[in-house]
Amino acid sequence: MDGFAAVDFEFARQVLQRGTAALFLIAFISTLNQFRPLLGEHGLQPAPRLLQWAASSKSRGRMLRPTIFRYIAYTDRRLVILCWTGIAIAAVLLIGLPQLGPPWVPMLCFLALWIGYMSITSIGQTFYSFGWEMLLLEMGFLAAFLGSDDQPPATAIMVLFWWLLFRLEFGAGMIKIRGGREWRDLTALTYHHETQPMPGPLSRQAHLLPRWFHKFEVLGNHFAQLVVPWFLFAPVLGLWIPGPVPAIIGAVAAAIVIGTQLWLVITGNFAWLNWATIVLGFSAVGLPGIRFEPAQPPSDPPWLIDGLPLYWLIVTSAVTLLYIVLSWRPAQNLVARHQLMNASFNRWQLANAYGAFGTVTKERIEYIAEGTMDEDPDAATWHAYEFKGKPGDVFRIPGQFAPYHLRLDWLMWFLPLGRPIEEWFTTFLVRLLEADRPTLRLLAHDPFGGERPRWVRVVTYRYRFATRDEFRRTGQRWMRDRRRLLVRPVSGRRESATR
């Protein structure tokens, strides 16, 4: 740290800018592939219907977060154009081309990503209700003010990244401590690897580890989320304490955060949540002794201060003041008895509250959609539709999809958690009866090869990972037992499905 300039954090700046751009690239690709069948003009939850509702009155309009589709009528074609634009901007930022120009060039690029993706999440309804959506938006906004390659990053902006990482990690830790008893009696991860939304290839191996290891995992999680985040701010002490010690403390804290997130990456599929946290972790990695060497003199008041142009110093200071004001409520939320999780306190989704898995489910219930070509559903042979990430075939090894986000698969995990059948799921069953091609492309396997089934139904099963002995005997990764018929056989002649 050197006054207004974080001269030792050039490497951190590069990781933040390019890492955030990479996550936006994945987010726009995910939207390009999935938004239209889920939320498009003929989707499971059509976005145009939401926009019409919001336009019906001023009060309803205020409930909708900012989106360009308030001013430009939504069509699937315009959504595709927005996605390809976002992909192109994210790609050039990932390469680093805008960063070669003056700081306002990458600023405009990141703000374009921020506004463009917010326009999507604002109309994404249930399928875009995940905490990592607002996390990516906040990262994109802050990345806009990291500057360009010909000057050091501003100290204030780096501190705002630490504040974001602190809210993310400490908020998640407090949610757990205040949440289910399993986090306090150290049993949470005895269940989590098996019951998490979308297990990965190594989740079963992690689940089968000894109980003492799972307790150690929980203790490590509490340490990483409740203790370590405080030390992320240590590098700022370098403004007053000479030597590398403050930067080393910050780097060690960052390494612990990154290490715990890598464990989550290899044992699960949490879209880009873990990768975003890893990118943020690098914000606290300074390289003492490897100082930024600007082409211009380090200071030439009033136009150049600590290597930063005066106009850029004013811009970054204004953003910092804005964040100081916006951070009051999320700071209160961290110590509140009724802590909010994944909540935004303003329309622009800045300075948000984060958290995840305050409770851990103890058993895994799966909804299995099945179809048949037979005329008589009572005597029919039923075939299951296979999802890309959601467990189904008991012999299949769970795939590794993160940081890509399989939105339909995630929503299928939420359905059995005490919720009634949602309208989008009823529409999904109708789409199966219609053999709707865009919907079927969201799945891994259509047992009818694009043909319309005569009937569909939904059966619930309890899934658990096979023990080592069970796997040797059967070759199954999962063991399951049928619970009940959730949705009785429905034919294409009917409009909807009911319990």
PDB file of all heavy atoms in Angstrom, residues 50-82:
ATOM      1  N   LEU A  50     -44.199 -11.292 -16.801  1.00  0.00           N
ATOM      2  CA  LEU A  50     -43.759 -10.489 -15.655  1.00  0.00           C
ATOM      3  C   LEU A  50     -43.657  -9.018 -16.035  1.00  0.00           C
ATOM      4  O   LEU A  50     -44.078  -8.135 -15.279  1.00  0.00           O
ATOM      5  CB  LEU A  50     -42.411 -10.999 -15.144  1.00  0.00           C
ATOM      6  CG  LEU A  50     -41.736 -10.151 -14.060  1.00  0.00           C
ATOM      7  CD1 LEU A  50     -42.541 -10.172 -12.768  1.00  0.00           C
ATOM      8  CD2 LEU A  50     -40.303 -10.638 -13.812  1.00  0.00           C
ATOM      9  N   LEU A  51     -43.105  -8.734 -17.201  1.00  0.00           N
ATOM     10  CA  LEU A  51     -42.944  -7.352 -17.642  1.00  0.00           C
ATOM     11  C   LEU A  51     -44.296  -6.688 -17.863  1.00  0.00           C
ATOM     12  O   LEU A  51     -44.479  -5.507 -17.539  1.00  0.00           O
ATOM     13  CB  LEU A  51     -42.110  -7.314 -18.922  1.00  0.00           C
ATOM     14  CG  LEU A  51     -40.624  -7.670 -18.736  1.00  0.00           C
ATOM     15  CD1 LEU A  51     -39.969  -7.982 -20.068  1.00  0.00           C
ATOM     16  CD2 LEU A  51     -39.890  -6.540 -18.027  1.00  0.00           C
ATOM     17  N   GLN A  52     -45.263  -7.422 -18.370  1.00  0.00           N
ATOM     18  CA  GLN A  52     -46.611  -6.873 -18.531  1.00  0.00           C
ATOM     19  C   GLN A  52     -47.238  -6.562 -17.179  1.00  0.00           C
ATOM     20  O   GLN A  52     -47.890  -5.536 -17.004  1.00  0.00           O
ATOM     21  CB  GLN A  52     -47.488  -7.864 -19.304  1.00  0.00           C
ATOM     22  CG  GLN A  52     -47.102  -8.016 -20.777  1.00  0.00           C
ATOM     23  CD  GLN A  52     -47.874  -9.133 -21.460  1.00  0.00           C
ATOM     24  OE1 GLN A  52     -48.730  -9.786 -20.851  1.00  0.00           O
ATOM     25  NE2 GLN A  52     -47.565  -9.363 -22.735  1.00  0.00           N
ATOM     26  N   TRP A  53     -47.024  -7.451 -16.223  1.00  0.00           N
ATOM     27  CA  TRP A  53     -47.530  -7.220 -14.867  1.00  0.00           C
ATOM     28  C   TRP A  53     -46.896  -5.969 -14.263  1.00  0.00           C
ATOM     29  O   TRP A  53     -47.585  -5.137 -13.647  1.00  0.00           O
ATOM     30  CB  TRP A  53     -47.227  -8.442 -14.005  1.00  0.00           C
ATOM     31  CG  TRP A  53     -47.604  -8.292 -12.565  1.00  0.00           C
ATOM     32  CD1 TRP A  53     -48.819  -8.539 -12.003  1.00  0.00           C
ATOM     33  CD2 TRP A  53     -46.741  -7.865 -11.501  1.00  0.00           C
ATOM     34  NE1 TRP A  53     -48.783  -8.291 -10.657  1.00  0.00           N
ATOM     35  CE2 TRP A  53     -47.512  -7.876 -10.320  1.00  0.00           C
ATOM     36  CE3 TRP A  53     -45.408  -7.475 -11.416  1.00  0.00           C
ATOM     37  CZ2 TRP A  53     -46.993  -7.513  -9.080  1.00  0.00           C
ATOM     38  CZ3 TRP A  53     -44.882  -7.119 -10.188  1.00  0.00           C
ATOM     39  CH2 TRP A  53     -45.667  -7.135  -9.042  1.00  0.00           C
ATOM     40  N   ALA A  54     -45.583  -5.797 -14.431  1.00  0.00           N
ATOM     41  CA  ALA A  54     -44.890  -4.641 -13.871  1.00  0.00           C
ATOM     42  C   ALA A  54     -45.332  -3.347 -14.536  1.00  0.00           C
ATOM     43  O   ALA A  54     -45.335  -2.283 -13.902  1.00  0.00           O
ATOM     44  CB  ALA A  54     -43.383  -4.814 -14.016  1.00  0.00           C
ATOM     45  N   ALA A  55     -45.706  -3.416 -15.806  1.00  0.00           N
ATOM     46  CA  ALA A  55     -46.117  -2.208 -16.533  1.00  0.00           C
ATOM     47  C   ALA A  55     -47.558  -1.807 -16.228  1.00  0.00           C
ATOM     48  O   ALA A  55     -47.988  -0.716 -16.618  1.00  0.00           O
ATOM     49  CB  ALA A  55     -45.959  -2.436 -18.034  1.00  0.00           C
ATOM     50  N   SER A  56     -48.280  -2.651 -15.502  1.00  0.00           N
ATOM     51  CA  SER A  56     -49.699  -2.373 -15.263  1.00  0.00           C
ATOM     52  C   SER A  56     -49.937  -1.283 -14.230  1.00  0.00           C
ATOM     53  O   SER A  56     -51.020  -0.712 -14.168  1.00  0.00           O
ATOM     54  CB  SER A  56     -50.415  -3.660 -14.832  1.00  0.00           C
ATOM     55  OG  SER A  56     -49.890  -4.136 -13.601  1.00  0.00           O
ATOM     56  N   SER A  57     -48.933  -0.970 -13.400  1.00  0.00           N
ATOM     57  CA  SER A  57     -49.085   0.108 -12.408  1.00  0.00           C
ATOM     58  C   SER A  57     -47.711   0.562 -11.949  1.00  0.00           C
ATOM     59  O   SER A  57     -46.725  -0.183 -12.044  1.00  0.00           O
ATOM     60  CB  SER A  57     -49.912  -0.363 -11.210  1.00  0.00           C
ATOM     61  OG  SER A  57     -49.182  -1.298 -10.434  1.00  0.00           O
ATOM     62  N   LYS A  58     -47.648   1.784 -11.418  1.00  0.00           N
ATOM     63  CA  LYS A  58     -46.367   2.319 -10.938  1.00  0.00           C
ATOM     64  C   LYS A  58     -45.850   1.542  -9.739  1.00  0.00           C
ATOM     65  O   LYS A  58     -44.643   1.315  -9.605  1.00  0.00           O
ATOM     66  CB  LYS A  58     -46.528   3.800 -10.591  1.00  0.00           C
ATOM     67  CG  LYS A  58     -46.714   4.704 -11.793  1.00  0.00           C
ATOM     68  CD  LYS A  58     -46.752   6.164 -11.370  1.00  0.00           C
ATOM     69  CE  LYS A  58     -46.904   7.081 -12.587  1.00  0.00           C
ATOM     70  NZ  LYS A  58     -46.935   8.519 -12.193  1.00  0.00           N
ATOM     71  N   SER A  59     -46.749   1.147  -8.845  1.00  0.00           N
ATOM     72  CA  SER A  59     -46.319   0.406  -7.660  1.00  0.00           C
ATOM     73  C   SER A  59     -45.706  -0.939  -8.046  1.00  0.00           C
ATOM     74  O   SER A  59     -44.697  -1.364  -7.479  1.00  0.00           O
ATOM     75  CB  SER A  59     -47.497   0.197  -6.716  1.00  0.00           C
ATOM     76  OG  SER A  59     -48.535  -0.539  -7.349  1.00  0.00           O
ATOM     77  N   ARG A  60     -46.310  -1.611  -9.007  1.00  0.00           N
ATOM     78  CA  ARG A  60     -45.741  -2.873  -9.475  1.00  0.00           C
ATOM     79  C   ARG A  60     -44.428  -2.642 -10.204  1.00  0.00           C
ATOM     80  O   ARG A  60     -43.484  -3.426 -10.070  1.00  0.00           O
ATOM     81  CB  ARG A  60     -46.729  -3.583 -10.386  1.00  0.00           C
ATOM     82  CG  ARG A  60     -47.960  -4.139  -9.671  1.00  0.00           C
ATOM     83  CD  ARG A  60     -48.916  -4.806 -10.637  1.00  0.00           C
ATOM     84  NE  ARG A  60     -50.031  -5.439  -9.961  1.00  0.00           N
ATOM     85  CZ  ARG A  60     -51.013  -6.088 -10.561  1.00  0.00           C
ATOM     86  NH1 ARG A  60     -51.009  -6.181 -11.905  1.00  0.00           N
ATOM     87  NH2 ARG A  60     -51.994  -6.641  -9.871  1.00  0.00           N
ATOM     88  N   GLY A  61     -44.346  -1.571 -10.948  1.00  0.00           N
ATOM     89  CA  GLY A  61     -43.119  -1.264 -11.662  1.00  0.00           C
ATOM     90  C   GLY A  61     -41.950  -1.037 -10.723  1.00  0.00           C
ATOM     91  O   GLY A  61     -40.813  -1.410 -11.032  1.00  0.00           O
ATOM     92  N   ARG A  62     -42.218  -0.445  -9.553  1.00  0.00           N
ATOM     93  CA  ARG A  62     -41.142  -0.205  -8.588  1.00  0.00           C
ATOM     94  C   ARG A  62     -40.644  -1.499  -7.958  1.00  0.00           C
ATOM     95  O   ARG A  62     -39.533  -1.535  -7.428  1.00  0.00           O
ATOM     96  CB  ARG A  62     -41.625   0.752  -7.507  1.00  0.00           C
ATOM     97  CG  ARG A  62     -41.736   2.209  -7.970  1.00  0.00           C
ATOM     98  CD  ARG A  62     -41.925   3.142  -6.793  1.00  0.00           C
ATOM     99  NE  ARG A  62     -43.217   2.932  -6.146  1.00  0.00           N
ATOM    100  CZ  ARG A  62     -44.326   3.592  -6.459  1.00  0.00           C
ATOM    101  NH1 ARG A  62     -44.295   4.499  -7.438  1.00  0.00           N
ATOM    102  NH2 ARG A  62     -45.457   3.361  -5.813  1.00  0.00           N
ATOM    103  N   MET A  63     -41.451  -2.533  -8.002  1.00  0.00           N
ATOM    104  CA  MET A  63     -41.039  -3.816  -7.434  1.00  0.00           C
ATOM    105  C   MET A  63     -40.069  -4.567  -8.342  1.00  0.00           C
ATOM    106  O   MET A  63     -39.381  -5.486  -7.890  1.00  0.00           O
ATOM    107  CB  MET A  63     -42.278  -4.683  -7.169  1.00  0.00           C
ATOM    108  CG  MET A  63     -43.218  -4.098  -6.132  1.00  0.00           C
ATOM    109  SD  MET A  63     -44.753  -5.037  -5.983  1.00  0.00           S
ATOM    110  CE  MET A  63     -44.127  -6.604  -5.353  1.00  0.00           C
ATOM    111  N   LEU A  64     -40.013  -4.178  -9.599  1.00  0.00           N
ATOM    112  CA  LEU A  64     -39.117  -4.823 -10.556  1.00  0.00           C
ATOM    113  C   LEU A  64     -37.769  -4.112 -10.546  1.00  0.00           C
ATOM    114  O   LEU A  64     -37.700  -2.892 -10.642  1.00  0.00           O
ATOM    115  CB  LEU A  64     -39.721  -4.779 -11.952  1.00  0.00           C
ATOM    116  CG  LEU A  64     -38.996  -5.561 -13.055  1.00  0.00           C
ATOM    117  CD1 LEU A  64     -39.071  -7.060 -12.786  1.00  0.00           C
ATOM    118  CD2 LEU A  64     -39.591  -5.231 -14.419  1.00  0.00           C
ATOM    119  N   ARG A  65     -36.710  -4.873 -10.425  1.00  0.00           N
ATOM    120  CA  ARG A  65     -35.373  -4.270 -10.429  1.00  0.00           C
ATOM    121  C   ARG A  65     -35.037  -3.751 -11.829  1.00  0.00           C
ATOM    122  O   ARG A  65     -35.668  -4.138 -12.811  1.00  0.00           O
ATOM    123  CB  ARG A  65     -34.345  -5.295  -9.964  1.00  0.00           C
ATOM    124  CG  ARG A  65     -34.555  -5.748  -8.525  1.00  0.00           C
ATOM    125  CD  ARG A  65     -33.372  -6.559  -8.028  1.00  0.00           C
ATOM    126  NE  ARG A  65     -33.629  -7.118  -6.708  1.00  0.00           N
ATOM    127  CZ  ARG A  65     -33.480  -6.444  -5.569  1.00  0.00           C
ATOM    128  NH1 ARG A  65     -33.055  -5.187  -5.600  1.00  0.00           N
ATOM    129  NH2 ARG A  65     -33.731  -7.019  -4.411  1.00  0.00           N
ATOM    130  N   PRO A  66     -34.028  -2.883 -11.912  1.00  0.00           N
ATOM    131  CA  PRO A  66     -33.712  -2.261 -13.206  1.00  0.00           C
ATOM    132  C   PRO A  66     -33.433  -3.282 -14.301  1.00  0.00           C
ATOM    133  O   PRO A  66     -32.723  -4.273 -14.101  1.00  0.00           O
ATOM    134  CB  PRO A  66     -32.457  -1.436 -12.893  1.00  0.00           C
ATOM    135  CG  PRO A  66     -32.564  -1.130 -11.428  1.00  0.00           C
ATOM    136  CD  PRO A  66     -33.198  -2.338 -10.826  1.00  0.00           C
ATOM    137  N   THR A  67     -33.993  -3.050 -15.467  1.00  0.00           N
ATOM    138  CA  THR A  67     -33.768  -3.903 -16.632  1.00  0.00           C
ATOM    139  C   THR A  67     -34.028  -3.094 -17.895  1.00  0.00           C
ATOM    140  O   THR A  67     -34.960  -2.276 -17.935  1.00  0.00           O
ATOM    141  CB  THR A  67     -34.681  -5.143 -16.613  1.00  0.00           C
ATOM    142  OG1 THR A  67     -34.546  -5.849 -17.851  1.00  0.00           O
ATOM    143  CG2 THR A  67     -36.141  -4.778 -16.401  1.00  0.00           C
ATOM    144  N   ILE A  68     -33.221  -3.298 -18.889  1.00  0.00           N
ATOM    145  CA  ILE A  68     -33.420  -2.574 -20.149  1.00  0.00           C
ATOM    146  C   ILE A  68     -34.714  -2.993 -20.821  1.00  0.00           C
ATOM    147  O   ILE A  68     -35.242  -2.268 -21.676  1.00  0.00           O
ATOM    148  CB  ILE A  68     -32.227  -2.792 -21.114  1.00  0.00           C
ATOM    149  CG1 ILE A  68     -32.098  -4.273 -21.481  1.00  0.00           C
ATOM    150  CG2 ILE A  68     -30.938  -2.250 -20.520  1.00  0.00           C
ATOM    151  CD1 ILE A  68     -31.066  -4.539 -22.553  1.00  0.00           C
ATOM    152  N   PHE A  69     -35.255  -4.148 -20.412  1.00  0.00           N
ATOM    153  CA  PHE A  69     -36.489  -4.616 -21.034  1.00  0.00           C
ATOM    154  C   PHE A  69     -37.721  -3.885 -20.519  1.00  0.00           C
ATOM    155  O   PHE A  69     -38.832  -4.162 -20.985  1.00  0.00           O
ATOM    156  CB  PHE A  69     -36.622  -6.130 -20.833  1.00  0.00           C
ATOM    157  CG  PHE A  69     -35.558  -6.913 -21.545  1.00  0.00           C
ATOM    158  CD1 PHE A  69     -34.614  -7.654 -20.840  1.00  0.00           C
ATOM    159  CD2 PHE A  69     -35.483  -6.896 -22.927  1.00  0.00           C
ATOM    160  CE1 PHE A  69     -33.628  -8.372 -21.499  1.00  0.00           C
ATOM    161  CE2 PHE A  69     -34.495  -7.601 -23.608  1.00  0.00           C
ATOM    162  CZ  PHE A  69     -33.571  -8.343 -22.884  1.00  0.00           C
ATOM    163  N   ARG A  70     -37.531  -2.951 -19.607  1.00  0.00           N
ATOM    164  CA  ARG A  70     -38.611  -2.030 -19.259  1.00  0.00           C
ATOM    165  C   ARG A  70     -38.801  -0.991 -20.359  1.00  0.00           C
ATOM    166  O   ARG A  70     -39.885  -0.403 -20.495  1.00  0.00           O
ATOM    167  CB  ARG A  70     -38.285  -1.306 -17.945  1.00  0.00           C
ATOM    168  CG  ARG A  70     -38.423  -2.133 -16.693  1.00  0.00           C
ATOM    169  CD  ARG A  70     -39.871  -2.377 -16.306  1.00  0.00           C
ATOM    170  NE  ARG A  70     -40.583  -1.143 -16.073  1.00  0.00           N
ATOM    171  CZ  ARG A  70     -40.588  -0.479 -14.913  1.00  0.00           C
ATOM    172  NH1 ARG A  70     -39.898  -0.972 -13.888  1.00  0.00           N
ATOM    173  NH2 ARG A  70     -41.260   0.626 -14.768  1.00  0.00           N
ATOM    174  N   TYR A  71     -37.751  -0.745 -21.118  1.00  0.00           N
ATOM    175  CA  TYR A  71     -37.762   0.323 -22.122  1.00  0.00           C
ATOM    176  C   TYR A  71     -37.686  -0.236 -23.538  1.00  0.00           C
ATOM    177  O   TYR A  71     -38.059   0.436 -24.500  1.00  0.00           O
ATOM    178  CB  TYR A  71     -36.588   1.272 -21.863  1.00  0.00           C
ATOM    179  CG  TYR A  71     -36.491   1.675 -20.413  1.00  0.00           C
ATOM    180  CD1 TYR A  71     -35.562   1.091 -19.561  1.00  0.00           C
ATOM    181  CD2 TYR A  71     -37.371   2.620 -19.877  1.00  0.00           C
ATOM    182  CE1 TYR A  71     -35.483   1.446 -18.216  1.00  0.00           C
ATOM    183  CE2 TYR A  71     -37.310   2.974 -18.535  1.00  0.00           C
ATOM    184  CZ  TYR A  71     -36.362   2.378 -17.715  1.00  0.00           C
ATOM    185  OH  TYR A  71     -36.315   2.727 -16.393  1.00  0.00           O
ATOM    186  N   ILE A  72     -37.165  -1.460 -23.665  1.00  0.00           N
ATOM    187  CA  ILE A  72     -37.110  -2.137 -24.954  1.00  0.00           C
ATOM    188  C   ILE A  72     -37.899  -3.428 -24.802  1.00  0.00           C
ATOM    189  O   ILE A  72     -37.555  -4.273 -23.968  1.00  0.00           O
ATOM    190  CB  ILE A  72     -35.656  -2.452 -25.366  1.00  0.00           C
ATOM    191  CG1 ILE A  72     -34.827  -1.166 -25.422  1.00  0.00           C
ATOM    192  CG2 ILE A  72     -35.616  -3.168 -26.700  1.00  0.00           C
ATOM    193  CD1 ILE A  72     -33.352  -1.406 -25.668  1.00  0.00           C
ATOM    194  N   ALA A  73     -38.943  -3.596 -25.550  1.00  0.00           N
ATOM    195  CA  ALA A  73     -39.805  -4.769 -25.396  1.00  0.00           C
ATOM    196  C   ALA A  73     -39.005  -6.054 -25.513  1.00  0.00           C
ATOM    197  O   ALA A  73     -38.157  -6.201 -26.407  1.00  0.00           O
ATOM    198  CB  ALA A  73     -40.916  -4.733 -26.445  1.00  0.00           C
ATOM    199  N   TYR A  74     -39.280  -6.971 -24.598  1.00  0.00           N
ATOM    200  CA  TYR A  74     -38.556  -8.244 -24.612  1.00  0.00           C
ATOM    201  C   TYR A  74     -38.989  -9.107 -25.795  1.00  0.00           C
ATOM    202  O   TYR A  74     -40.177  -9.281 -26.068  1.00  0.00           O
ATOM    203  CB  TYR A  74     -38.796  -9.032 -23.322  1.00  0.00           C
ATOM    204  CG  TYR A  74     -38.159 -10.408 -23.376  1.00  0.00           C
ATOM    205  CD1 TYR A  74     -36.868 -10.599 -22.931  1.00  0.00           C
ATOM    206  CD2 TYR A  74     -38.845 -11.497 -23.929  1.00  0.00           C
ATOM    207  CE1 TYR A  74     -36.263 -11.852 -23.022  1.00  0.00           C
ATOM    208  CE2 TYR A  74     -38.247 -12.751 -24.021  1.00  0.00           C
ATOM    209  CZ  TYR A  74     -36.962 -12.916 -23.568  1.00  0.00           C
ATOM    210  OH  TYR A  74     -36.365 -14.153 -23.664  1.00  0.00           O
ATOM    211  N   THR A  75     -37.997  -9.656 -26.474  1.00  0.00           N
ATOM    212  CA  THR A  75     -38.211 -10.764 -27.410  1.00  0.00           C
ATOM    213  C   THR A  75     -37.048 -11.720 -27.222  1.00  0.00           C
ATOM    214  O   THR A  75     -35.965 -11.335 -26.748  1.00  0.00           O
ATOM    215  CB  THR A  75     -38.260 -10.307 -28.879  1.00  0.00           C
ATOM    216  OG1 THR A  75     -36.960  -9.789 -29.246  1.00  0.00           O
ATOM    217  CG2 THR A  75     -39.320  -9.225 -29.095  1.00  0.00           C
ATOM    218  N   ASP A  76     -37.252 -12.971 -27.581  1.00  0.00           N
ATOM    219  CA  ASP A  76     -36.163 -13.939 -27.474  1.00  0.00           C
ATOM    220  C   ASP A  76     -34.970 -13.521 -28.330  1.00  0.00           C
ATOM    221  O   ASP A  76     -33.811 -13.727 -27.943  1.00  0.00           O
ATOM    222  CB  ASP A  76     -36.651 -15.320 -27.908  1.00  0.00           C
ATOM    223  CG  ASP A  76     -37.561 -15.972 -26.863  1.00  0.00           C
ATOM    224  OD1 ASP A  76     -37.626 -15.451 -25.726  1.00  0.00           O
ATOM    225  OD2 ASP A  76     -38.192 -16.991 -27.189  1.00  0.00           O
ATOM    226  N   ARG A  77     -35.249 -12.910 -29.461  1.00  0.00           N
ATOM    227  CA  ARG A  77     -34.154 -12.487 -30.337  1.00  0.00           C
ATOM    228  C   ARG A  77     -33.316 -11.398 -29.672  1.00  0.00           C
ATOM    229  O   ARG A  77     -32.085 -11.415 -29.755  1.00  0.00           O
ATOM    230  CB  ARG A  77     -34.721 -11.984 -31.665  1.00  0.00           C
ATOM    231  CG  ARG A  77     -33.651 -11.609 -32.675  1.00  0.00           C
ATOM    232  CD  ARG A  77     -34.261 -11.242 -34.020  1.00  0.00           C
ATOM    233  NE  ARG A  77     -33.233 -10.928 -35.002  1.00  0.00           N
ATOM    234  CZ  ARG A  77     -33.477 -10.596 -36.253  1.00  0.00           C
ATOM    235  NH1 ARG A  77     -34.737 -10.549 -36.696  1.00  0.00           N
ATOM    236  NH2 ARG A  77     -32.488 -10.327 -37.085  1.00  0.00           N
ATOM    237  N   ARG A  78     -33.974 -10.452 -28.995  1.00  0.00           N
ATOM    238  CA  ARG A  78     -33.228  -9.391 -28.311  1.00  0.00           C
ATOM    239  C   ARG A  78     -32.449  -9.955 -27.125  1.00  0.00           C
ATOM    240  O   ARG A  78     -31.361  -9.462 -26.794  1.00  0.00           O
ATOM    241  CB  ARG A  78     -34.187  -8.294 -27.865  1.00  0.00           C
ATOM    242  CG  ARG A  78     -34.694  -7.457 -29.035  1.00  0.00           C
ATOM    243  CD  ARG A  78     -35.820  -6.535 -28.651  1.00  0.00           C
ATOM    244  NE  ARG A  78     -36.252  -5.750 -29.820  1.00  0.00           N
ATOM    245  CZ  ARG A  78     -37.385  -5.079 -29.884  1.00  0.00           C
ATOM    246  NH1 ARG A  78     -38.221  -5.080 -28.847  1.00  0.00           N
ATOM    247  NH2 ARG A  78     -37.701  -4.396 -30.979  1.00  0.00           N
ATOM    248  N   LEU A  79     -32.994 -10.965 -26.479  1.00  0.00           N
ATOM    249  CA  LEU A  79     -32.259 -11.628 -25.401  1.00  0.00           C
ATOM    250  C   LEU A  79     -30.985 -12.257 -25.944  1.00  0.00           C
ATOM    251  O   LEU A  79     -29.909 -12.150 -25.330  1.00  0.00           O
ATOM    252  CB  LEU A  79     -33.161 -12.677 -24.753  1.00  0.00           C
ATOM    253  CG  LEU A  79     -32.690 -13.476 -23.525  1.00  0.00           C
ATOM    254  CD1 LEU A  79     -31.801 -14.637 -23.890  1.00  0.00           C
ATOM    255  CD2 LEU A  79     -32.005 -12.574 -22.496  1.00  0.00           C
ATOM    256  N   VAL A  80     -31.056 -12.878 -27.104  1.00  0.00           N
ATOM    257  CA  VAL A  80     -29.875 -13.494 -27.724  1.00  0.00           C
ATOM    258  C   VAL A  80     -28.835 -12.421 -28.058  1.00  0.00           C
ATOM    259  O   VAL A  80     -27.631 -12.608 -27.823  1.00  0.00           O
ATOM    260  CB  VAL A  80     -30.281 -14.278 -28.985  1.00  0.00           C
ATOM    261  CG1 VAL A  80     -29.044 -14.706 -29.774  1.00  0.00           C
ATOM    262  CG2 VAL A  80     -31.112 -15.493 -28.605  1.00  0.00           C
ATOM    263  N   ILE A  81     -29.287 -11.294 -28.587  1.00  0.00           N
ATOM    264  CA  ILE A  81     -28.364 -10.201 -28.911  1.00  0.00           C
ATOM    265  C   ILE A  81     -27.666  -9.702 -27.650  1.00  0.00           C
ATOM    266  O   ILE A  81     -26.444  -9.467 -27.640  1.00  0.00           O
ATOM    267  CB  ILE A  81     -29.121  -9.051 -29.608  1.00  0.00           C
ATOM    268  CG1 ILE A  81     -29.613  -9.502 -30.990  1.00  0.00           C
ATOM    269  CG2 ILE A  81     -28.230  -7.812 -29.734  1.00  0.00           C
ATOM    270  CD1 ILE A  81     -30.523  -8.502 -31.674  1.00  0.00           C
ATOM    271  N   LEU A  82     -28.425  -9.552 -26.567  1.00  0.00           N
ATOM    272  CA  LEU A  82     -27.841  -9.114 -25.303  1.00  0.00           C
ATOM    273  C   LEU A  82     -26.801 -10.122 -24.817  1.00  0.00           C
ATOM    274  O   LEU A  82     -25.714  -9.728 -24.356  1.00  0.00           O
ATOM    275  CB  LEU A  82     -28.947  -8.934 -24.259  1.00  0.00           C
ATOM    276  CG  LEU A  82     -28.484  -8.584 -22.842  1.00  0.00           C
ATOM    277  CD1 LEU A  82     -27.688  -7.281 -22.836  1.00  0.00           C
ATOM    278  CD2 LEU A  82     -29.685  -8.480 -21.899  1.00  0.00           C
TER     279      LEU A  82
END
